[in-house]
Amino acid sequence: MSLSLSHQVASERPVVVPADRQPVERYDAIIIGAGMSGMYQLHCLRKLGLSVRVFEAGDGVGGTWYWNRYPGARFDSESWTYGYSFDDELLQEWEWSEHFAAQPETLRYCNFVADKLDLRRDIAFNCRIVRATYDETENCWEIELGDGGQARAQFLITAIGPLSAPTMPNIPGVDSFRGEAYHTGRWPHQPVSFEGKRVAVVGTGATGVQAITEIAKTAGHLTVFQRTPNYCAPLHNGPIDAGTQRKIKATYAEIFEVCRNSFGCFIHRADPRSALEVSEEVREAFYEKLYSEPGFGIWMGNFRDLLIDEEANATITDFMRRKIRERVKDPQVAEKLIPRNHGFGTRRVPLESGYYEVFNQDNVQLVDVRETPIERITPAGIETSDADYGFDTIIYATGFDAITGAFDRIDIRGAGGLRLKDKWADGPKTYLGLAIAGFPNLMTLVGPHNAATFCNIPRCIEQNVDWVTDLIRYMSENNYERVVPTVDAEEEWTAHVHETVDRLLLSQVDSWMTGINKSLPGKQVRTVMVYAGGAPKYRERCDEVAAAGYEGFELS
Ligand SMILES: Cc1cc2nc3c(=O)[nH]c(=O)nc-3n(C[C@H](O)[C@H](O)[C@H](O)COP(=O)(O)OP(=O)(O)OC[C@H]3O[C@@H](n4cnc5c(N)ncnc54)[C@H](O)[C@@H]3O)c2cc1C
């Protein structure tokens, strides 16, 4: 099967075969997932003239913003830095109402884009891909859906999300609970009421922090089960007034240029000073300023050495601990909310809007499960080592099998039947976080070892997608049909990714960024999941590879 850019347009193609073994549909490219990555990749490949089919497990576009409908779900990125930047019409027509939009608005945004670009005609919804097999003879990928349906394409592009495979806690009896139970990442489409109810939230990561703050407003009683506290910083959200809206729209080019040149593609840029070269007064005043400002500034716009030098890190860690003690009235509760096993910024920093004050409310109780572990979920509630708690509703804010989880849930087999899960058994190996040796014509958007996993993600999504699109165009123009990274290039990149992470303090801490998930027996050994050299350096390397005729790839 060869790629032809003058192919008939995808919309003229019939829908994919059902399970009854009709002839298998063929496309130039199959994309898995219709979140921000898959939507933009579809748009770009269609513009190249390719026939493309997107398979999406959900029944709508938006990915993260489709699934995560829990109360309090919203951006930590400034809304106006998160949307797509590639189309001026989209930028000028869409109005964000808040600096950090809530999930319903972001989902509306994704639907607005899908409508404007007429994307839905090439997306098959309610279609989960369970298997993807590379056919050496025909140089194509065959995918299989959960219902047995199949399709084939020359290129397979995964846009399956870094945080899209939810994990339930590894606690006996989870299925026995007779009340309502929800995972935040699979929230129902109908409203859920907590009015007067006895509610449990298990988990205090970024999602738990958002959900707890919101649910505490109406729950009759809320019990928070915390294993690992995090250092949470104030979000300082607010509406975007008309004047600011005009200013944002007039300066999008500058906004995106700032993002482009910052480490994580946020508008926050690290301060060039060391935390240790300034006086205590200057340092304290700087931390106070950052704490009073919106967004990730305190994490991404702080002194340059906070995340690499233990002594520097101790200064901000101490500051954040004092803030928790100031905000939480009961000193014993405050001490439980203070992390002891990591410094500030070495795990994903949750942004909050009154989280600590929730623990001053009479209807809220904190249970530290390191002191009194959860032993089982019972039909009536949760049993810890020292008490039985009865609940009407249990909410699992227990996160995701991050970055590689969505890959592991598909049986992906490359050349010679090599299973991706086996290849990555001791941690991911990739080239540029976009391709894998032994897996020809497979591209992995926002995959492991990609700058996108440490990024204001749509900024990196656009870079990933543009790069993949350019590669496919290059192949077409030069009559190549197959592309695969060499083992040497993959080894060199993987070693480099490890170096970028090793110099950071986060490499010494258990978190999803280091591949740890306490709920998954197979994810107890730290590994390197993210590229931590910064988005500008990553982009530079990708551009160099392309300019050198896709150095490190075998093209044939
Ligand atoms: C609660 C929450 C808040 C977040 N906030 C921010 C933020 O403020 N800023 C930021 O930069 N990032 C944030 N993120 C990260 C977010 O995931 C990215 O910003 C972005 O949405 C990723 O887009 P994506 O298209 O790559 O993946 P996703 O949005 O995860 O989309 C992947 C899609 O692939 C589908 N899929 C997966 N496997 C299969 C399969 N086998 N078959 C078919 N379909 C499949 C899924 O159903 C999903 O729709 C947040 C994540 C979460 C969970």
Side-chain angles (χ1 to χ4, degrees):
M1 178 178 191
S2 70
L3 169 70
S4 143
L5 293 187
S6 59
H7 231 284
Q8 85 181 99
V9 289
S11 56
E12 292 165 9
R13 299 184 157 258
V15 280
V16 99
V17 277
D20 57 2
R21 304 291 152 194
Q22 288 171 23
V24 173
E25 274 308 311
R26 285 172 179 260
Y27 303 94
D28 294 328
I30 286 174
I31 299 168
I32 319 178
M36 292 287 286
S37 303
M39 288 166 65
Y40 182 46
Q41 186 68 79
L42 168 61
H43 175 65
C44 290
L45 292 186
R46 264 193 346 199
K47 273 184 25 189
L48 269 192
L50 269 67
S51 64
V52 189
R53 194 73 172 162
V54 180
F55 291 95
E56 165 55 56
D59 70 1
V61 297
T64 289
W65 308 106
Y66 169 89
W67 294 107
N68 290 267
R69 297 165 190 247
Y70 61 85
R74 69 170 65 246
F75 280 146
D76 290 331
S77 297
E78 285 74 7
S79 310
W80 33 275
T81 70
Y82 186 93
Y84 292 116
S85 73
F86 67 88
D87 185 325
D88 204 45
E89 234 175 87
L90 292 179
L91 288 168
Q92 295 306 319
E93 271 184 40
W94 181 257
E95 306 235 317
W96 295 104
S97 70
E98 293 181 287
H99 286 279
F100 300 90
Q103 171 273 333
E105 184 169 340
T106 311
L107 183 56
R108 277 200 300 281
Y109 171 76
C110 294
N111 279 289
F112 157 78
V113 174
D115 289 340
K116 281 284 291 179
L117 305 179
D118 190 17
L119 297 179
R120 283 193 197 78
R121 63 186 160 94
D122 291 321
I123 305 175
F125 292 107
N126 298 307
C127 287
R128 179 170 291 282
I129 292 184
V130 294
R131 188 166 296 119
T133 312
Y134 177 68
D135 179 335
E136 192 92 57
T137 328
E138 290 203 37
N139 183 34
C140 76
W141 282 89
E142 180 166 285
I143 60 93
E144 191 179 317
L145 301 172
D147 69 0
Q150 289 170 313
R152 291 187 149 224
Q154 183 180 355
F155 293 99
L156 180 65
I157 301 172
T158 58
I160 51 185
L163 300 172
S164 65
T167 43
M168 288 293 283
N170 192 10
I171 305 171
V174 165
D175 293 333
S176 71
F177 181 60
R178 283 204 297 262
E180 295 170 59
Y182 307 102
H183 188 288
T184 49
R186 287 290 178 271
W187 201 260
H189 291 200
Q190 304 73 33
V192 176
S193 169
F194 305 104
E195 204 74 47
K197 290 190 177 157
R198 299 164 306 158
V199 182
V201 175
V202 180
T204 54
T207 285
V209 166
Q210 290 181 335
I212 288 161
T213 311
E214 203 53 34
I215 292 166
K217 291 177 185 165
T218 57
H221 193 273
L222 171 63
T223 310
V224 175
F225 291 87
Q226 170 192 271
R227 181 173 49 207
T228 310
N230 287 290
Y231 298 97
C232 311
L235 176 66
H236 296 301
N237 189 22
I240 300 178
D241 61 46
T244 310
Q245 190 77 255
R246 274 194 301 278
K247 193 171 164 215
I248 289 170
K249 288 192 179 184
T251 57
Y252 263 128
E254 289 107 277
I255 291 168
F256 291 129
E257 190 56 21
V258 172
C259 292
R260 190 179 149 80
N261 294 316
S262 79
F263 184 91
C265 294
F266 285 89
I267 50 158
H268 312 284
R269 279 202 254 200
D271 190 290
R273 293 171 297 171
S274 157
L276 304 174
E277 77 184 45
V278 299
S279 69
E280 209 178 316
E281 292 71 33
V282 169
R283 194 164 56 222
E284 186 73 8
F286 187 52
Y287 290 160
E288 282 292 356
K289 176 177 168 294
L290 292 173
Y291 200 77
S292 70
E293 289 176 348
F296 271 145
I298 197 153
W299 192 24
M300 303 281 172
N302 215 319
F303 293 118
R304 65 169 157 76
D305 53 353
L306 284 192
L307 305 181
I308 49 178
D309 182 292
E310 271 184 47
E311 205 188 328
N313 184 269
T315 63
I316 183 74
T317 297
D318 177 59
F319 175 87
M320 297 300 287
R321 288 180 172 166
R322 276 186 278 129
K323 285 293 177 195
I324 298 171
R325 291 189 182 108
E326 279 168 22
R327 290 174 61 183
V328 179
K329 285 187 193 146
D330 181 332
Q332 281 185 343
V333 176
E335 292 312 307
K336 285 184 185 170
L337 288 165
I338 292 176
R340 305 282 166 199
N341 60 358
H342 66 281
F344 173 78
T346 60
R347 288 165 58 95
R348 164 54 156 96
V349 176
L351 295 181
E352 48 84 26
S353 307
Y355 177 65
Y356 290 113
E357 286 70 20
V358 158
F359 296 95
N360 299 332
Q361 292 179 206
D362 292 338
N363 67 332
V364 177
Q365 179 185 3
L366 179 66
V367 176
D368 183 338
V369 303
R370 287 166 313 176
E371 284 174 7
T372 54
I374 296 178
E375 295 199 329
R376 64 187 57 81
I377 309 290
T378 67
I382 295 181
E383 194 180 310
T384 67
S385 58
D386 81 335
D388 272 351
Y389 298 85
F391 294 114
D392 302 305
T393 310
I394 299 179
I395 293 161
Y396 296 102
T398 42
F400 302 93
D401 185 358
I403 302 180
T404 51
F407 287 91
D408 286 351
R409 292 176 193 204
I410 307 172
D411 184 2
I412 301 177
R413 290 174 194 248
L418 177 63
R419 276 181 79 206
L420 185 59
K421 202 170 174 176
D422 293 339
K423 172 160 178 154
W424 284 358
D426 298 325
K429 295 184 189 78
T430 78
Y431 185 39
L432 303 176
L434 283 166
I436 306 160
F439 294 79
N441 293 0
L442 172 68
M443 309 307 296
T444 56
L445 304 175
V446 196
H449 296 180
N450 186 308
T453 47
F454 211 123
C455 188
N456 182 17
I457 294 188
R459 302 280 64 76
C460 288
I461 285 174
E462 287 185 339
Q463 182 275 341
N464 275 202
V465 168
D466 290 344
W467 194 90
V468 166
T469 307
D470 285 347
L471 167 62
I472 293 176
R473 182 190 294 109
Y474 175 88
M475 288 176 68
S476 165
E477 287 169 356
N478 293 281
N479 297 318
Y480 292 122
E481 294 185 350
R482 188 180 187 272
V483 62
V484 66
T486 65
V487 171
D488 284 353
E490 181 178 85
E491 276 176 7
E492 184 264 331
W493 176 255
T494 301
H496 169 61
V497 172
H498 283 238
E499 278 164 24
T500 67
V501 171
D502 286 349
R503 68 191 183 92
L504 296 185
L505 296 173
L506 73 81
S507 66
Q508 299 155 30
V509 173
D510 288 351
S511 81
W512 60 259
M513 292 192 275
T514 51
I516 299 291
N517 185 323
K518 293 266 162 46
S519 303
L520 297 172
K523 300 251 164 140
Q524 301 309 310
V525 178
R526 280 188 210 148
T527 179
V528 171
M529 287 283 176
V530 298
Y531 169 84
K537 282 216 173 93
Y538 175 79
R539 190 177 55 240
E540 212 175 282
R541 180 81 181 105
C542 289
D543 290 349
E544 280 167 11
V545 167
Y550 294 92
E551 186 182 29
F553 286 96
E554 277 168 11
L555 286 151
S556 52

